[in-house]
Amino acid sequence: MTNQLISDPNAAAIADLYQSFLANPSAVDPGWRSFFGDLDFLDGYRGASWAPRATSVIGDDEGTGLSEALFEKRDSGDTDLDEILRRLGKQGGGQTSAQEIRQATLDSIRALMLIRAYRVRGHLEADLDPLGLKPIEPHPELDPKTYGFTERDMGRPIFINNVLGLETATLGEIMKAVRETYCDTIGVEYMHIQDPAQKAWIQERIESIHNRTDFTVNGKRAILDRLTAAEVFERFLDKKYTGTKRFGLDGGEAMIPALEQILKRGGQLGLEEVVIGMPHRGRLNVLANFMGKPYTAIFSEFQGGAANPEDVGGSGDVKYHLGTSSDRDFDDSSVHLSLTANPSHLEAVNPVVVGKVRAKQAQREDADRTKVMALLMHGDAAFAGQGLVPETLDLSELKGYRIGGTIHFIVNNQIGFTTNPVNSRSGPYCSDVAKMIQAPIFHVNGDHPEAVVHVARVATEFRQTFKKDVVIDMFCYRRYGHNESDEPAFTQPLMYRRIGEHESTRAIYAKQLVAENVMTADEPEQMVQQMTGRLEADFQAAGGYKVNKADWLEGAWSGMSAVKGWDARRGRTAVQMKTLKEVGKALTRVPEGFNLNRKIGRQLDTKAKMFETGEGIDWATAEALAFGTLLIDGTGVRLSGQDCNRGTFSQRHAALIDQETEERYVPLNHIRDKQAAIEVVDSPLSEVAVLGFEYGFSLAEPRALVMWEAQFGDFCNGAQIIIDQFITSGESKWLRMSGLVMLLPHGYEGQGPEHSSARIERFLQLCAEDNLQVVNCSTPANYFHVLRRQIQREFRKPLVIFTPKSLLRHKRCVSKLAEFGPGSSFHRVMYCDEQPCDTKDAKQVVLCSGKVYYDLQAEREKIGANQVHILRLEQLYPFPADALAAEFEKYKHCDLVWCQEEPRNMGPWTFVASFIEEIAVEAGVKNPRPRYAGRLSAASPATGSFGRHQEEQMALVDDALSLGKKAMSRIAARKQLHRAKAGKAKPPAGKASGKTAGRKAAGKHAAAE
Ligand SMILES: Cc1ncc(C[n+]2csc(CCOP(=O)(O)OP(=O)(O)O)c2C)c(N)n1
Ligand SMILES: [Mg+2]
């Protein structure tokens, strides 16, 4: 059915039809049924309340059907009916005819359809673009004619049952109300929200006041004051540092009074802290005019001054990436602000901010999430284009990640560098993606600062009321090029001609205030002079500005200190046996009446035995011991990742599930009465947003063990921006420590190219200046210690752990309980407890890391390669030079081999080779250059064929255990492979020959080149 039907000359019949529909929907034909059914607002009025209301809300269940209401009134003989009918145009009272009721019903249906259309699509005719680049196209659904109204109908009162706050209104009045509310300088999108209370709240909030706030004189002056500060600051920078990049806010100045409003209104509604994330655009302005960073500090940075004292080190960052924090006081409240440092990568900071907020809410015991809020600013092109935006939005309502809503502020300058909106998004608005979480969206014209401040106020109230994300999309323009040295007319000549002729927001608003007699004609200019004078004075002072205190290790971080030296840094990780057993008990205890899965029950029995005998502690139990012992010490533990409660390999079972009720029981939260809590969160299927969130959490909470686990390690490249731009470089760039742990399942087990490698080589390539810790533990006990070590020192460093898959259930990959107990610690280098021969009789030392150790050990036993000793590098970075040097003392007479499962261009080889050689040279090892034994260089990390995998694995283990072989270069190995392919030679080790690799390698001289 289309709207034309309602304008049919015989449309009065529709009213009859509607009566029939109300009485019995199936009495009308399906087309009409669906038409009336779509009028959900009419459905909403069924009921019996005739009481006056402030405003009726479409979709509200309490109202009365229009025609029913009219009939009810007539039948009840209610005297008010005469009054209504009089207003509806019937003169003289008397019994109302069916014809009149029909006409009134039809008018009402048409009017309500029209009002609804404005609520849904009014934004399409709103005056949003300050530049007026495109004419506003009339939308047919917003035209009264579409509903059968004509000019003649403008003055007739129509019964609208308190919709728009009016019982009856003429079409003229209705049009005025809906156009002011929905088509002025604010366009609202909210009818996609399914929650009736949220929808109703917005409707009432904006319709009752025609979507505008009447600001007081003081309010108006305050808005102009903030606009003046914003504009003059940019102009001043432009004059003093012409051509220097500052990514000015020019054209979007109304953001500054809007942010001010968010804080002020937020403070009144209980807000104590705001964590901010924002891109380059207008950042200096936000720092100076919103966060209160001293102008002198900013000028000093423009003049080449450092943002931190020299002695704290670090590489620093450009000024429009730096974070800062401050306190702002309003009336009776004080709000703490912290702007999160961010990289160039647009939108990458979003999940980091959200994670920080989550941690801070816990610290402030902000159970209803009113005290701490995230405020994210965005560019239009970035918000529409970057995948991190929806991935982060997706976290907003999830139990393990929610923060009670973020306010998003888009500086929609209608351009992204040189890209026009038509090339940067498919949908009509840059904000469309936010509809996926049913966030309300307020589009607003940035040249109307009162409207911008008004929507900031409504958005803040919405967030504080419903604890949900909300979006402000401020249409504005960018007065200059992308940065101040770009020429925008190369690519957008017409737009920039228009901008060139366009007065600034401040100037326009100043004129308005003068016209409204809020101030005298020369006051705006006096405000400009005053601001310029202040900046000039601070500019003069900037030369002598010295940062005397580094902005770090404050607040939650106080008591922490910078790391000194490269020694073992073991921390005290050993735990009393009594405590270990206490945790063990909790791990195997289930509440009375809990319906445990039978297989899990058997696993718990096995676990109980481990603690009884003190033997055979497996990987998952060691991990649980690390968590449990930290919890007892009062350290919170948080782990999130895909399916991480169960564990990808069904090894963890952090939560037990009742088989009848699906209730969850987390044994580690029931160790003893007073303990910290563990939160294990099954994450959505995102890497980058979830890792960013956990990184953010770790920035704000140094005293919890915070971990992210990849489903398989190779998926972590989906989060590469967070790894490269934050985790590995954040401390150096921004002096921000993080103790985040990444658990990355890794290991060659024949599962194909995508489930074998967590790309050890990439992490090692990122290692420098003590920025990361990279470990590949081979025993449960060492894993336990490295997890605990993360909390037991006074500094924090991100920790990357390559975690095992098959070793989770490997008979030999177990530890004794004593290895967790008094006297134990993390080992960076490990040798075998039982060596097959005396060190003096050894001929070869095979160095390796991780799972391949067990393959080497088994094969060595099998073939009796007793003159081969094996050393495991448990920590790859910081490279354990001192520990390895101590080991080499005993093996100076031996050949050195590096064995790995990964192809030669991957895994640790290229990283460790030179370290090993340098240390061996220093230690006086006779032949210090290690020989490579592993897979040949490869484009794909692993083969897809299980058979070929096994052959390769056997070949590389054989190769490592073979004595006296000469090292083979990559080129030589490649040549040999080519010859083998041509049938002229044996393939080199690490490449399957096509038949099972030989077992007689040990002690023999395998063919080299
Ligand atoms: C992930 C990412 N890709 C590319 C860039 C390069 N870049 C910097 S600003 C910009 C345009 C951003 O446009 P918009 O989001 O509209 O912000 P505006 O500069 O207009 O305020 C681009 C493409 C970047 N910084 N980050
Ligand atoms: Mg833009």
Side-chain angles (χ1 to χ4, degrees):
M1 289 290 154
T2 68
N3 290 329
Q4 268 98 45
L5 283 166
I6 211 89
S7 60
D8 189 278
N10 298 318
I14 294 168
D16 288 339
L17 221 43
Y18 180 59
Q19 300 301 334
S20 313
F21 169 79
L22 285 176
N24 173 15
S26 47
V28 299
D29 76 51
W32 281 107
R33 193 155 62 230
S34 113
F35 173 69
F36 290 133
D38 279 349
L39 301 179
D40 64 344
F41 54 89
L42 292 174
D43 288 347
Y45 287 97
R46 295 208 183 97
S49 167
W50 199 215
R53 305 152 53 108
T55 174
S56 281
V57 171
I58 282 172
D60 187 341
D61 286 334
E62 289 170 17
T64 300
L66 287 166
S67 46
E68 277 177 299
L70 283 168
F71 279 116
E72 266 174 27
K73 266 204 162 309
R74 186 184 62 177
D75 296 346
S76 70
D78 194 327
T79 48
D80 282 357
L81 181 60
D82 287 344
E83 172 58 18
I84 290 179
L85 289 171
R86 196 183 57 70
R87 276 189 271 142
L88 291 179
K90 181 180 169 61
Q91 301 299 321
Q95 188 62 270
T96 320
S97 73
Q99 172 62 29
E100 284 160 339
I101 293 286
R102 239 192 335 262
Q103 176 60 48
T105 304
L106 188 59
D107 271 355
S108 297
I109 294 176
R110 287 167 166 170
L112 290 178
M113 285 182 69
L114 177 70
I115 294 168
R116 187 173 203 277
Y118 271 86
R119 288 169 171 172
V120 177
R121 302 210 204 291
H123 55 89
L124 294 174
E125 287 191 22
D127 168 21
L128 298 175
D129 177 7
L131 301 177
L133 290 171
K134 273 197 263 158
I136 298 169
E137 298 286 340
H139 194 286
E141 287 179 25
L142 301 179
D143 185 349
K145 288 197 198 79
T146 303
Y147 305 91
F149 287 121
T150 65
E151 278 304 314
R152 279 179 289 125
D153 301 320
M154 290 305 273
R156 187 168 67 241
I158 299 171
F159 176 68
I160 53 172
N161 199 24
N162 291 312
V163 171
L164 298 177
L166 301 167
E167 189 175 70
T168 63
T170 64
L171 184 58
E173 287 165 345
I174 292 171
M175 285 303 288
K176 181 170 181 314
V178 291
R179 291 214 65 91
E180 282 182 4
T181 306
Y182 293 107
C183 302
D184 198 8
T185 54
I186 300 169
V188 191
E189 288 188 274
Y190 69 104
M191 293 294 280
H192 54 281
I193 299 175
Q194 282 163 17
D195 181 315
Q198 292 171 15
K199 201 165 70 168
W201 186 93
I202 294 175
Q203 211 155 280
E204 293 202 23
R205 182 73 179 82
I206 63 179
E207 288 184 352
S208 58
I209 53 169
H210 290 199
N211 211 6
R212 67 193 59 200
T213 298
D214 284 328
F215 287 92
T216 60
V217 167
N218 276 347
K220 286 172 187 263
R221 295 179 78 98
I223 292 174
L224 185 64
D225 173 72
R226 292 294 77 205
L227 285 176
T228 307
E231 179 182 313
V232 175
F233 177 71
E234 297 290 355
R235 281 212 320 242
F236 190 83
L237 289 178
D238 189 47
K239 198 169 96 202
K240 298 291 184 190
Y241 309 103
T242 312
T244 306
K245 276 191 212 175
R246 64 187 154 86
F247 299 105
L249 185 59
D250 320 64
E253 289 90 345
M255 177 171 79
I256 297 294
L259 297 183
E260 197 77 9
Q261 177 64 204
I262 290 170
L263 273 204
K264 197 168 167 156
R265 188 73 187 118
Q268 290 164 353
L269 298 172
L271 200 58
E272 295 174 7
E273 180 162 1
V274 180
V275 183
I276 304 165
M278 74 173 299
H280 52 290
R281 181 73 53 212
R283 190 180 184 107
L284 298 178
N285 217 315
V286 167
L287 283 171
N289 290 321
F290 176 56
M291 299 198 60
K293 179 165 178 170
Y295 297 120
T296 37
I298 294 176
F299 295 144
S300 155
E301 284 164 29
F302 264 96
Q303 288 157 21
N308 278 305
E310 300 287 322
D311 60 340
V312 299
S315 58
D317 201 347
V318 291
K319 49 192 163 298
Y320 38 84
H321 290 166
L322 297 175
T324 194
S325 62
S326 65
D327 290 301
R328 293 284 316 273
D329 295 325
F330 295 92
D331 311 327
D332 309 328
S333 61
S334 169
V335 183
H336 182 71
L337 299 177
S338 66
L339 173 64
T340 307
N342 62 273
S344 264
H345 296 58
L346 293 166
E347 308 291 346
V349 80
N350 301 0
V352 178
V353 166
V354 174
K356 276 176 79 172
V357 169
R358 175 89 176 195
K360 283 169 181 272
Q361 286 176 339
Q363 285 163 354
R364 286 187 187 254
E365 297 182 350
D366 182 14
D368 75 347
R369 311 193 188 285
T370 306
K371 296 180 192 166
V372 191
M373 184 185 84
L375 170 60
L376 290 177
M377 286 165 243
H378 315 269
D380 51 322
F383 197 74
Q386 289 291 304
L388 242 166
V389 173
E391 284 197 33
T392 308
L393 289 172
D394 190 40
L395 300 178
S396 66
E397 298 288 324
L398 303 178
K399 188 164 171 268
Y401 305 90
R402 66 181 165 220
I403 58 162
T406 296
I407 296 187
H408 299 271
F409 194 104
I410 306 175
V411 177
N412 178 359
N413 53 19
Q414 312 185 70
I415 193 163
F417 209 145
T418 67
T419 307
N420 290 323
V422 66
N423 294 322
S424 73
R425 58 179 188 257
S426 292
Y429 293 113
C430 62
S431 53
D432 283 347
V433 65
K435 288 191 190 160
M436 69 178 258
I437 52 158
Q438 301 192 23
I441 298 163
F442 295 93
H443 308 286
V444 61
N445 187 323
D447 258 0
H448 290 264
E450 289 186 12
V452 180
V453 172
H454 165 75
V455 297
R457 185 182 182 90
V458 176
T460 309
E461 291 168 359
F462 180 85
R463 189 276 173 196
Q464 290 298 76
T465 307
F466 294 104
K467 309 292 154 49
K468 240 190 97 156
D469 283 37
V470 51
V471 179
I472 299 167
D473 169 26
M474 185 182 80
F475 279 62
C476 54
Y477 57 92
R478 188 188 70 195
R479 184 163 290 280
Y480 304 107
H482 172 62
N483 65 57
E484 288 62 31
S485 56
D486 276 338
E487 171 50 72
F490 288 158
T491 47
Q492 273 79 16
L494 300 184
M495 183 189 208
Y496 275 82
R497 203 173 299 158
R498 186 80 58 99
I499 291 172
E501 295 157 359
H502 196 78
E503 271 192 304
S504 75
T505 310
R506 182 203 61 81
I508 296 170
Y509 190 57
K511 276 189 189 157
Q512 180 191 322
L513 296 198
V514 172
E516 289 173 1
N517 285 325
V518 169
M519 53 180 58
T520 60
D522 40 0
E523 265 184 283
E525 190 49 33
Q526 282 165 13
M527 287 168 86
V528 169
Q529 293 307 330
Q530 221 171 8
M531 178 69 188
T532 314
R534 177 158 177 218
L535 292 175
E536 192 62 55
D538 285 2
F539 177 75
Q540 298 305 334
Y545 184 81
K546 271 264 164 310
V547 210
N548 50 21
K549 190 167 91 38
D551 162 32
W552 73 330
L553 304 180
E554 289 169 353
W557 285 85
S558 54
M560 297 277 162
S561 60
V563 62
K564 294 175 195 79
W566 290 84
D567 60 17
R569 307 168 178 176
R570 286 201 175 87
R572 291 229 295 263
T573 57
V575 175
Q576 295 297 325
M577 293 305 267
K578 197 168 90 216
T579 314
L580 293 167
K581 289 194 171 159
E582 184 185 352
V583 177
K585 273 254 154 26
L587 288 176
T588 50
R589 192 166 47 221
V590 282
E592 195 99 346
F594 191 87
N595 299 297
L596 194 62
N597 176 286
R598 279 217 330 276
K599 282 188 195 152
I600 300 279
R602 282 201 296 275
Q603 283 180 21
L604 295 192
D605 293 343
T606 312
K607 227 182 259 296
K609 275 212 184 72
M610 293 175 197
F611 288 94
E612 270 164 37
T613 60
E615 303 269 339
I617 308 280
D618 63 9
W619 197 271
T621 309
E623 181 188 83
L625 279 175
F627 296 169
T629 51
L630 288 171
L631 295 172
I632 285 180
D633 290 346
T635 302
V637 175
R638 182 182 159 92
L639 166 64
S640 98
Q642 290 150 27
D643 311 288
C644 67
N645 264 292
R646 191 201 74 165
T648 301
F649 312 101
S650 199
Q651 82 282 17
R652 183 170 291 122
H653 299 288
L656 305 176
I657 313 294
D658 186 297
Q659 300 296 293
E660 298 302 323
T661 63
E662 290 204 351
E663 222 169 273
R664 297 159 79 83
Y665 174 76
V666 179
L668 281 170
N669 275 332
H670 300 277
I671 308 171
R672 55 165 85 154
D673 280 348
K674 279 211 166 107
Q675 64 162 90
I678 182 168
E679 192 173 19
V680 182
V681 187
D682 293 336
S683 79
L685 217 169
S686 153
E687 280 75 31
V688 63
V690 179
L691 181 60
F693 181 101
E694 301 307 339
Y695 171 76
F697 198 103
S698 76
L699 285 183
E701 183 46 277
R703 288 180 172 81
L705 180 66
V706 185
M707 293 163 286
W708 173 74
E709 181 172 67
Q711 184 114 79
F712 283 94
D714 45 349
F715 295 120
C716 78
N717 61 5
Q720 203 64 47
I721 293 178
I722 302 296
I723 296 167
D724 292 343
Q725 265 59 40
F726 291 92
I727 295 173
T728 61
S729 54
E731 186 179 341
S732 175
K733 292 190 292 192
W734 309 315
L735 296 180
R736 289 291 175 269
M737 285 184 184
S738 157
L740 180 73
V741 179
M742 294 173 67
L743 302 177
L744 307 178
H746 173 93
Y748 279 60
E749 275 135 14
Q751 290 191 48
E754 311 315 343
H755 293 100
S756 300
S757 177
R759 300 294 199 166
I760 295 180
E761 65 282 0
R762 293 199 181 146
F763 285 95
L764 293 176
Q765 192 203 32
L766 294 169
C767 290
E769 300 183 282
D770 202 6
N771 60 339
L772 277 186
Q773 306 164 102
V774 179
V775 305
N776 192 8
C777 299
S778 65
T779 71
N782 228 20
Y783 178 49
F784 164 90
H785 288 293
V786 83
L787 287 173
R788 282 183 50 81
R789 185 181 75 163
Q790 206 55 2
I791 292 294
Q792 306 295 336
R793 302 173 299 190
E794 72 281 7
F795 62 87
R796 296 287 179 266
K797 294 279 175 191
L799 169 63
V800 181
I801 309 183
F802 298 102
T803 55
K805 298 174 286 173
S806 62
L807 293 192
L808 296 170
R809 297 184 174 77
H810 194 287
K811 267 208 319 281
R812 294 195 186 201
C813 185
V814 289
S815 301
K816 295 186 175 51
L817 198 56
E819 292 171 76
F820 304 74
S824 63
S825 71
F826 177 67
H827 298 292
R828 294 169 297 159
V829 177
M830 284 177 90
Y831 48 82
C832 302
D833 284 336
E834 287 153 30
Q835 296 285 25
C837 71
D838 278 353
T839 46
K840 66 175 177 4
D841 300 324
K843 287 219 156 41
Q844 183 160 295
V845 176
V846 176
L847 296 117
C848 66
S849 187
K851 183 208 121 202
V852 74
Y853 163 72
Y854 291 96
D855 296 347
L856 287 165
Q857 196 194 33
E859 188 65 11
R860 181 175 65 178
E861 273 175 26
K862 197 165 182 180
I863 62 174
N866 292 338
Q867 290 170 311
V868 180
H869 282 198
I870 306 173
L871 286 179
R872 285 165 277 174
L873 284 187
E874 300 282 299
Q875 177 169 298
L876 292 161
Y877 190 82
F879 197 80
D882 53 340
L884 201 57
E887 289 301 320
F888 281 171
E889 278 301 316
K890 298 175 255 174
Y891 294 115
K892 289 182 191 169
H893 56 289
C894 290
D895 285 342
L896 302 178
V897 174
W898 174 261
C899 178
Q900 67 176 31
E901 308 178 293
E902 300 83 1
R904 188 168 181 151
N905 54 327
M906 302 174 193
W909 168 241
T910 49
F911 179 81
V912 296
S914 55
F915 270 118
I916 293 172
E917 185 171 355
E918 284 167 26
I919 295 161
V921 167
E922 239 173 75
V925 175
K926 199 175 78 211
N927 185 8
R929 178 162 297 182
R931 171 168 71 82
Y932 173 78
R935 286 182 167 82
L936 294 184
S937 294
S940 164
T943 171
S945 142
F946 187 69
R948 198 163 131 197
H949 157 78
Q950 280 184 308
E951 287 175 14
E952 287 175 0
Q953 194 79 3
M954 246 175 249
L956 71 90
V957 168
D958 273 359
D959 193 30
L961 296 174
S962 300
L963 295 180
K965 278 178 88 170
K966 273 205 289 176
M968 192 187 288
S969 71
R970 278 169 98 155
I971 297 168
R974 186 59 61 200
K975 278 184 186 159
Q976 189 174 327
L977 182 66
H978 283 307
R979 285 211 302 277
K981 274 190 179 156
K984 292 181 194 150
K986 252 178 84 175
K991 194 79 197 170
S993 62
K995 51 184 174 357
T996 310
R999 292 301 178 83
K1000 25 190 205 328
K1004 294 238 169 104
H1005 203 115
E1009 282 172 86

